[in-house]
Amino acid sequence: MTIKLGVPSKGRLMEKTFDWFNARDFGLRLTGRDREYAGVVEGVEDVELVLLSAGEIPREMAAGRIHLGVTGLDMVQEKLAAWDMQVEPLTEMGLGHADLVLAVPSAWVDVDTLEDLDAVAAQFRAKHGFRLRIATKYHRLVREFLRTNGVADYQLVDSQGATEGTVKNETAEAIADITSTGDTLRANHLKVLSDGLILKSQATLFRARNADWTDADRATLRGLMARLKLG
């Protein structure tokens, strides 16, 4: 049998993932041309490289179609209900760091906490007749975070583009999005609530619990773990 390892198919996360494995004598190499997403694992037997988008990897692991996957914790927790029953984190990789945060306009000088946001949301609905809009790609994580913290009068609006621009474009009043440095938020005149950190995320190597793990696959995994010095 062959273990299938899913890694991001493009961008800086792909490059850093390749570097991470290659620094541990675990050779990942692209073989496709142009937009053909193909690659190989060199120097290790019975491991197949599968190139996917970071958002596809959690779903493919949950379906059992790949055995291992590299993606952000934010993607796993957003895409998979009861995620820890479907995948197991093997190691954080120290790359792809990003915080999922809740941000409001900097001009809202009296809004600094979730409690403040809840009060403003109630006032907004009373004044405008509809709920305060929060633009995000992370509906599951944001909804659970706001429910846990008692924020009620809001609606989530889907954002698949530049989420930070939705407030300026008047399609939302606040946003929840990932940030590494905060520079883009500040450039769009947004500020993170003082208690608005939803999740700290980084690229992580996960094992799919639902994959078909034969005895040979488990032996391959043990060898892989030893080679990566993961215990």
Side-chain angles (χ1 to χ4, degrees):
M1 296 293 291
T2 299
I3 285 181
K4 292 185 177 181
L5 167 65
V7 304
S9 59
K10 58 184 177 180
R12 290 286 294 157
L13 186 54
M14 181 193 74
E15 295 171 5
K16 290 182 177 181
T17 298
F18 275 43
D19 290 344
W20 188 89
F21 278 100
N22 293 341
R24 291 160 176 80
D25 298 321
F26 191 92
L28 303 188
R29 182 171 62 85
L30 291 176
T31 59
R33 296 179 179 178
D34 298 327
R35 296 182 181 276
E36 180 189 357
Y37 297 128
V40 295
V41 179
E42 297 178 326
V44 181
E45 295 183 353
D46 300 323
V47 180
E48 176 185 344
L49 183 63
V50 181
L51 298 174
L52 300 162
S53 73
E56 288 176 312
I57 289 172
R59 287 193 291 259
E60 292 299 293
M61 284 192 291
R65 288 188 285 266
I66 59 176
H67 298 79
L68 302 171
V70 173
T71 190
L73 180 63
D74 59 321
M75 287 291 180
V76 165
Q77 292 197 15
E78 174 63 24
K79 301 292 185 181
L80 304 181
W83 67 273
D84 54 341
M85 300 296 291
Q86 301 188 66
V87 300
E88 174 193 7
L90 297 179
T91 186
E92 295 178 331
M93 299 171 67
L95 54 94
H97 292 276
D99 295 341
L100 178 59
V101 299
L102 188 60
V104 301
S106 301
W108 291 9
V109 294
D110 294 328
V111 180
D112 182 59
T113 67
L114 290 165
E115 185 177 1
D116 297 335
L117 179 65
D118 187 47
V120 166
Q123 295 167 9
F124 184 92
R125 186 179 186 188
K127 180 178 180 180
H128 297 281
F130 61 92
R131 289 185 171 91
L132 183 145
R133 298 164 297 178
I134 302 174
T136 189
K137 302 177 182 72
Y138 296 89
H139 290 240
R140 185 195 305 276
L141 285 168
V142 175
R143 187 178 294 110
E144 177 61 21
F145 177 75
L146 294 175
R147 184 193 65 79
T148 300
N149 287 280
V151 180
D153 273 330
Y154 70 91
Q155 59 178 316
L156 297 182
V157 294
D158 194 45
S159 170
Q160 294 303 325
T163 303
E164 297 91 348
T166 56
V167 174
K168 179 181 179 181
N169 295 333
E170 299 183 349
T171 56
E173 285 70 50
I175 73 162
D177 201 13
I178 57 170
T179 181
S180 298
T181 64
D183 290 346
T184 305
L185 292 175
R186 287 186 289 272
N188 284 276
H189 309 292
L190 298 168
K191 64 178 182 179
V192 179
L193 295 179
S194 61
D195 52 358
L197 175 62
I198 300 170
L199 178 71
K200 293 187 75 68
S201 179
Q202 65 173 290
T204 301
L205 176 63
F206 292 94
R207 179 182 74 87
R209 298 185 186 276
N210 297 331
D212 182 16
W213 289 93
T214 66
D215 289 342
D217 291 334
R218 292 187 180 92
T220 298
L221 177 62
R222 287 193 293 271
L224 185 157
M225 296 285 284
R227 187 163 186 156
L228 295 176
K229 297 181 173 60
L230 299 179

